[in-house]
Amino acid sequence: MSCLFIFIALVLSSCVFGSLTTSATALDQTCGNKVVNTIVVDQSGSSGKFRKVQDAIDSVGLGNDLWIKIKVKRGVYVEQVTIPMNKSCIIVEGEGQRVTTITYNGNKATDVSTTFTSHPSYVVVRNLSIMNTYNRLDSLPTTTSNGMSWNIKPAVALNVYGDKSAFYDCDFLGLQDTLWDNQGKHHFKNCYIEGAVDFIFGQGQSIYEDCKINATAGALASKVALGYITAQGRQNPSDPSGFVFLRGSVSGSTSVYLGRAYGPFSRVIFIQTELSSVVHPLGWDSWHCDAHKWSLTYAEVECKGAGSDMSGRVPWIDKLSYSAAKQRFSISNFIDQDGWISNIPSF
């Protein structure tokens, strides 16, 4: 896949670094700061009006501009969920990671086989698991019934297009292309993200705060000798996008690069992250954008752990200081300049 092809595909603090401070500009009051209505989803039918998450979303009025909570009771919901562009200000809330799960077995084009797709701005998802089971079930055969080898294909769990969207205490599980951080400013906090190949990718402008990254191919470990955590698609120097990993950890069972270039100005920063021995000594891969490798912004700032040894890293890695990282990539400066995060209703 060339950089040109990628471009065409993508065109469609307080004392503690990373605290949720707001800038001096006026707060973004879109959607208000209170939930005005709660819709309950219960697949057992014992409570709530709806048995499917998508039915509850469909019931929200077009042009919605006040926070509506969709409370999803415990259970495994086998369905594709899409929040359309004209339905902002929606909170989808489960009862806990691995307690409430939305899952689907999609393996066609990434834009139509995603388990959970969010199009509008101002969407919050919390306390649930989102999974694409394709290529990751423990019971998945490595060969088909006719003896042909099983092909690993992109299978997206989450695709987020909308600006100013947040994901708290969620699991995202897949193998290839698990989380499509497509575009817009996003805040992921206390999340668990699992996969092996480009499993956090896209052109989003996002901070992953205190997230656990698990690099594993599961049942297909023998098919994936080497993986990649990120494939970030920044296209030019003025493009504000980038992935910032603040604290959290990288672990797993599959050797992985921290990232490979999904665009000629790809940008990924790991700050104070615990890196286990699964991180490949080279750390980063310029992929099909080798001619632009000195334009890539890849940095590891005050990371620790067995995988944080910088002596074998690629020579074109960024030498970013902690003070510079704090200034440029804090939550308040990178994604929350107008305080939209502070306006999200509490539980």
Side-chain angles (χ1 to χ4, degrees):
M1 185 181 297
S2 68
C3 292
L4 177 60
F5 180 84
I6 292 166
F7 173 78
I8 295 171
L10 289 172
V11 77
L12 268 174
S13 139
S14 67
C15 302
V16 179
F17 175 59
S19 62
L20 303 185
T21 57
T22 60
S23 65
T25 58
L27 284 177
D28 184 342
Q29 297 292 330
T30 306
C31 304
N33 57 14
K34 295 181 179 179
V35 173
V36 299
N37 187 27
T38 298
I39 303 169
V40 177
V41 180
D42 184 354
Q43 64 178 3
S44 72
S46 60
S47 64
K49 183 178 179 180
F50 300 101
R51 292 175 180 261
K52 290 185 174 293
V53 179
Q54 187 62 55
D55 290 344
I57 291 170
D58 292 345
S59 74
V60 176
L62 300 180
N64 179 63
D65 61 359
L66 294 173
W67 287 115
I68 291 179
K69 179 186 291 187
I70 297 175
K71 181 68 176 178
V72 187
K73 295 289 189 175
R74 65 176 55 233
V76 177
Y77 295 79
V78 182
E79 58 176 304
Q80 280 185 289
V81 173
T82 298
I83 303 178
M85 179 64 74
N86 52 10
K87 295 188 179 184
S88 298
C89 309
I90 287 179
I91 299 171
V92 180
E93 182 179 293
E95 293 191 346
Q97 293 158 284
R98 313 296 176 96
V99 177
T100 302
T101 298
I102 301 172
T103 182
Y104 188 73
N105 184 26
N107 52 44
K108 296 181 181 179
T110 53
D111 58 343
V112 297
S113 61
T114 302
T115 301
F116 192 115
T117 301
S118 179
H119 288 279
S121 299
Y122 303 100
V123 168
V124 179
V125 180
R126 56 194 180 197
N127 282 354
L128 54 76
S129 297
I130 299 174
M131 180 189 306
N132 192 318
T133 57
Y134 187 78
N135 273 344
R136 71 171 310 278
L137 289 176
D138 291 340
S139 59
L140 187 68
T142 56
T143 58
T144 61
S145 58
N146 62 5
M148 298 294 290
S149 62
W150 190 272
N151 294 318
I152 297 172
K153 298 178 182 178
V156 181
L158 173 71
N159 182 358
V160 53
Y161 291 93
D163 193 30
K164 298 183 179 180
S165 297
F167 302 84
Y168 300 146
D169 299 290
C170 290
D171 290 345
F172 305 103
L173 301 104
L175 190 146
Q176 180 173 341
D177 295 356
T178 303
L179 198 166
W180 193 353
D181 193 342
N182 206 315
Q183 59 188 21
K185 293 182 288 294
H186 309 139
H187 185 209
F188 295 83
K189 185 174 182 179
N190 296 330
C191 291
Y192 171 88
I193 307 167
E194 181 178 297
V197 181
D198 301 341
F199 61 101
I200 303 173
F201 75 108
Q203 205 171 341
Q205 181 178 344
S206 303
I207 287 184
Y208 294 79
E209 182 182 9
D210 295 321
C211 291
K212 294 181 179 179
I213 311 301
N214 184 15
T216 178
L220 294 183
S222 63
K223 302 281 186 180
V224 185
L226 183 63
Y228 306 87
I229 295 174
T230 65
Q232 204 279 331
R234 186 166 175 253
Q235 294 297 317
N236 57 69
S238 62
D239 183 343
S241 70
F243 299 159
V244 177
F245 294 84
L246 175 56
R247 299 182 298 273
S249 64
V250 172
S251 60
S253 57
T254 300
S255 178
V256 287
Y257 285 88
L258 295 171
R260 61 177 174 176
Y262 200 39
F265 292 84
S266 180
R267 179 163 61 181
V268 181
I269 318 292
F270 284 84
I271 303 170
Q272 296 182 331
T273 306
E274 181 78 28
L275 303 178
S276 78
S277 60
V278 300
V279 177
H280 193 282
L282 289 173
W284 306 89
D285 183 0
S286 58
W287 203 13
H288 298 295
C289 297
D290 189 62
H292 298 271
K293 61 187 177 184
W294 294 103
S295 299
L296 306 173
T297 303
Y298 291 152
E300 301 163 55
V301 182
E302 293 192 355
C303 294
K304 55 187 177 180
S308 66
D309 182 358
M310 302 284 288
S311 61
R313 292 295 193 260
V314 292
W316 37 266
I317 190 173
D318 246 316
K319 304 300 190 295
L320 188 66
S321 69
Y322 176 76
S323 59
K326 181 178 180 179
Q327 176 64 29
R328 294 170 59 189
F329 300 113
S330 66
I331 291 173
S332 56
N333 289 336
F334 191 57
I335 62 171
D336 192 34
Q337 297 91 335
D338 57 4
W340 66 271
I341 292 175
S342 300
N343 204 47
I344 294 173
S346 58
F347 285 77

